[in-house]
Amino acid sequence: MEYRERHKIKDILDSTAYGSEMLVKGWVRTKRGNKNVTFLSLNDGSIIHNLQVVVDVAGFDENLLKQITTGSCIAVVGKLVESKGQEQTVEIHANDITLYGTADPETYPLQKKGHTLEFLREIAHLRPRTNTFGAVLRIRHAMAYAIHKYFNDNGFFYLHTPIITGSDAEGAGAMFHVTAMELDNIPRTPEGEADYSQDFFGKATNLTVSGQLEGELGAMALGLIYTFGPTFRAENSNTPRHLAEFWMIEPEMAFYEIKENMDLAEDFLKYLITYALEHCMPDLEFLSKMYDKELLERLRFVIENDFVRLTYTEGVEILEKSGQKFEFPVSWGVDLQSEHERYLVEQHFKRPVILTDYPREIKAFYMKQNADGKTVRAMDVLFPKIGEIIGGSQREEDYTKLKTRIGELGIPEKDMWWYLETRKFGTAPHSGFGLGFERLVLFITGMANIRDVIPFPRTPKNAEF
Ligand code: 4AD
Ligand code: MG
């Protein structure tokens, strides 16, 4: 087959250049037909829809056609023809076929349709070839692009924060240690503890749980920054909303107070949902049909309505008065569980909620302390079906208050001196938040389990692929 440019199926399906010759390459999804004609349904990942390739059996080597089965990869040169079929408007009539790779029908795991999502998790190396994961992965890409576009268009700078950190300060969750020491031969101090001074970095290091603290350093120079990178939490939470490795978007804004922080979070989320509706419709329609009939309605509803804003204290009052039996009892001071968050969003207000001013004991040390001495200027954005999608706060900018809080919590100051210096030199009011990328993709796709919106999920006892 002579060289020519490959046409993507996405473009072919839109084309009206009937009669012209095109080259298309992809994976066979289905094969049917009779002794005269074979119909191949071809997918190349560019769009959820397949292209129908019509093969006149008489014109091809019988042995070649026999080897083209579900899952095999082929290149086809053929003529674009207006289709008489119901399913599609165009098809390709093959003149020449090259077989790149066969897929033995006896052993190819995706030979049949209709596998469960649980089974597909066990073949994460092949599941991108299904309609569902094609749709999810294209939407995931579109969201990543839209995030960068939103921030770029609004004057934010993308700041790369480290993945290996020397501080264990955020307190957002258990950390994975990073070491170059041989685990079965660890150098030890005279007291018998691991001697990290002999380790690669000369100190104990971990995978980051958040880019925020370094993000704040950037905001104190560039004004508006965001991070977008992988974060790691070694918690044993086996829920449909937790991963041990997930991606987080963390904007940090000099001179923003909590109100502007909330406004940004709401505008940002609405922008992303709008972007998905404008750019991902074929995939959204497919997912809605297969998994979640109310998906499109829910997405539009979130864009069209103001988020409800209230304090944690008001939220707890509503929950206490609800008469609802929760698995975890609720009272002022407890950390809200996803059942509480979802009650507020789905039952009580029936729209997204931003809760603010949480008890300081259940929130991180860096949050701005309110005058009541009991609460901090935290904000969590709660979404239908998800619960917490964003966590953020206005930051404590007062050097003495911050230093005192760090002391109270027993956080070693030797780990935090650089962070404290932002409050010592040219401190400023500032705020930020973290959006869990997979929780966003969960919401947008209507999928039910976070393991199904990242290509290779990392969860307890699972790192095969
Ligand atoms: O609420 P979190 O822990 O906040 C922070 O890490 C702050 N440093 C953010 C900031 O203010 N810059 O996490 C933020 C978001 C959560 O709201 C949730 O969407 C997501 O990250 N998240 C997870 N997503 C998947 N798996 C996990 N284990 C997650 N933990 C948090
Ligand atoms: Mg949180």
Side-chain angles (χ1 to χ4, degrees):
M1 197 179 281
E2 77 193 83
Y3 175 80
R4 41 174 119 193
E5 203 188 331
R6 172 171 80 97
H7 290 85
K8 295 202 192 70
I9 290 178
K10 180 177 194 282
D11 302 325
I12 296 178
L13 293 178
D14 273 345
S15 173
T16 49
Y18 308 127
S20 36
E21 258 209 352
M22 297 192 171
L23 166 63
V24 50
K25 301 181 179 183
W27 293 267
V28 174
R29 285 292 177 83
T30 57
K31 177 188 185 182
R32 58 191 179 81
N34 52 42
K35 63 180 187 327
N36 299 322
V37 56
T38 297
F39 298 99
L40 302 172
S41 199
L42 202 64
N43 189 281
D44 69 358
S46 62
I47 188 167
I48 188 141
H49 306 304
N50 300 327
L51 175 68
Q52 170 149 292
V53 177
V54 183
V55 186
D56 181 1
V57 172
F60 288 86
D61 173 32
E62 192 185 336
N63 195 37
L64 170 78
L65 293 186
K66 217 160 69 192
Q67 291 184 75
I68 299 176
T69 56
T70 297
S72 60
C73 186
I74 58 172
V76 180
V77 174
K79 203 187 273 178
L80 186 76
V81 175
E82 208 169 355
S83 177
K84 296 187 212 92
Q86 305 255 306
E87 305 263 306
Q88 63 277 324
T89 55
V90 297
E91 59 194 27
I92 293 280
H93 288 197
N95 296 329
D96 189 9
I97 300 180
T98 304
L99 176 62
Y100 284 136
T102 57
D104 181 358
E106 296 293 319
T107 53
Y108 180 55
L110 294 172
Q111 183 60 30
K112 292 206 182 65
K113 282 186 170 182
H115 292 299
T116 64
L117 293 170
E118 288 78 9
F119 172 73
L120 292 178
R121 270 173 228 149
E122 289 168 20
I123 51 162
H125 61 306
L126 294 172
R127 69 177 183 171
R129 298 193 198 177
T130 62
N131 282 331
T132 296
F133 285 89
V136 167
L137 294 176
R138 276 184 298 270
I139 291 173
R140 189 178 160 105
H141 159 79
M143 288 296 92
Y145 175 76
I147 286 162
H148 287 299
K149 178 162 168 55
Y150 178 85
F151 284 125
N152 184 63
D153 290 353
N154 285 286
F156 286 66
F157 300 103
Y158 182 24
L159 185 78
H160 293 97
T161 51
I163 288 169
I164 301 174
T165 66
S167 75
D168 180 8
E170 165 101 3
M175 303 184 91
F176 290 101
H177 301 298
V178 174
T179 181
M181 300 196 295
E182 277 176 53
L183 289 185
D184 47 13
N185 186 23
I186 294 175
R188 303 212 171 256
T189 63
E191 293 76 38
E193 285 168 1
D195 183 4
Y196 291 106
S197 71
Q198 296 189 47
D199 201 351
F200 189 89
F201 296 106
K203 62 178 300 194
T205 49
N206 302 296
L207 292 179
T208 188
V209 294
S210 156
Q212 178 195 325
L213 302 189
E214 295 89 351
E216 286 186 51
L217 311 180
M220 288 299 112
L222 297 165
L224 305 173
I225 66 92
Y226 70 105
T227 72
F228 186 176
T231 51
F232 306 87
R233 297 186 187 182
E235 296 154 34
N236 199 6
S237 1
N238 260 307
T239 83
R241 285 175 300 277
H242 287 86
L243 291 165
E245 174 179 306
F246 64 99
W247 287 66
M248 188 156 45
I249 300 97
E250 295 184 276
E252 192 70 33
M253 298 74 68
F255 318 121
Y256 273 42
E257 304 214 355
I258 185 85
K259 159 88 169 54
E260 295 156 294
N261 203 21
M262 287 192 277
D263 291 346
L264 180 74
E266 183 167 342
D267 186 62
F268 178 46
L269 287 168
K270 286 178 171 172
Y271 174 88
L272 296 177
I273 299 167
T274 307
Y275 189 94
L277 286 169
E278 283 172 4
H279 295 88
C280 308
M281 211 28 123
D283 291 323
L284 288 174
E285 276 170 347
F286 171 81
L287 293 170
S288 171
K289 192 174 84 193
M290 295 296 290
Y291 298 102
D292 183 350
K293 300 278 179 294
E294 280 129 44
L295 177 63
L296 297 176
E297 200 186 316
R298 191 179 318 111
L299 296 179
R300 291 199 183 99
F301 182 83
V302 169
I303 299 170
E304 284 159 12
N305 289 279
D306 289 342
F307 296 4
V308 181
R309 300 178 184 191
L310 69 158
T311 65
Y312 167 92
T313 303
E314 292 163 335
V316 167
E317 271 169 28
I318 292 169
L319 292 167
E320 283 177 328
K321 285 190 197 136
S322 69
Q324 193 81 9
K325 271 262 169 294
F326 294 113
E327 189 188 339
F328 296 90
V330 65
S331 63
W332 200 93
V334 304
D335 210 353
L336 297 185
Q337 302 291 327
S338 124
E339 56 171 342
H340 308 130
E341 296 169 342
R342 292 182 60 180
Y343 177 83
L344 290 173
V345 172
E346 293 165 21
Q347 312 287 322
H348 189 83
F349 290 110
K350 297 191 167 49
R351 56 169 99 170
V353 167
I354 309 184
L355 274 192
T356 59
D357 303 289
Y358 282 69
R360 64 181 214 152
E361 303 310 329
I362 58 170
K363 287 291 182 188
F365 72 92
Y366 50 70
M367 296 193 180
K368 185 173 173 68
Q369 298 165 30
N370 282 322
D372 63 11
K374 292 194 305 193
T375 59
V376 288
R377 217 162 280 180
M379 60 160 224
D380 278 8
V381 181
L382 314 179
F383 256 35
K385 290 195 71 178
I386 306 292
E388 179 190 336
I389 194 164
I390 278 180
S393 73
Q394 185 168 341
R395 317 306 188 191
E396 182 55 74
E397 82 265 25
D398 183 280
Y399 177 76
T400 311
K401 283 187 189 162
L402 187 61
K403 193 172 142 92
T404 306
R405 190 70 187 135
I406 286 174
E408 282 170 5
L409 293 172
I411 301 168
E413 231 185 274
K414 68 166 177 38
D415 286 347
M416 292 308 294
W417 64 272
W418 49 270
Y419 184 71
L420 277 164
E421 284 204 351
T422 55
R423 279 57 170 179
K424 202 150 101 186
F425 305 124
T427 193
H430 63 291
S431 299
F433 61 78
L435 167 66
F437 186 51
E438 285 74 21
R439 297 221 182 147
L440 171 78
V441 181
L442 260 185
F443 181 73
I444 303 270
T445 57
M447 300 298 284
N449 193 312
I450 201 162
R451 292 167 176 82
D452 299 330
V453 296
I454 184 167
F456 305 104
R458 296 286 172 265
T459 51
K461 303 274 181 284
N462 176 25
E464 176 75 14
F465 303 94

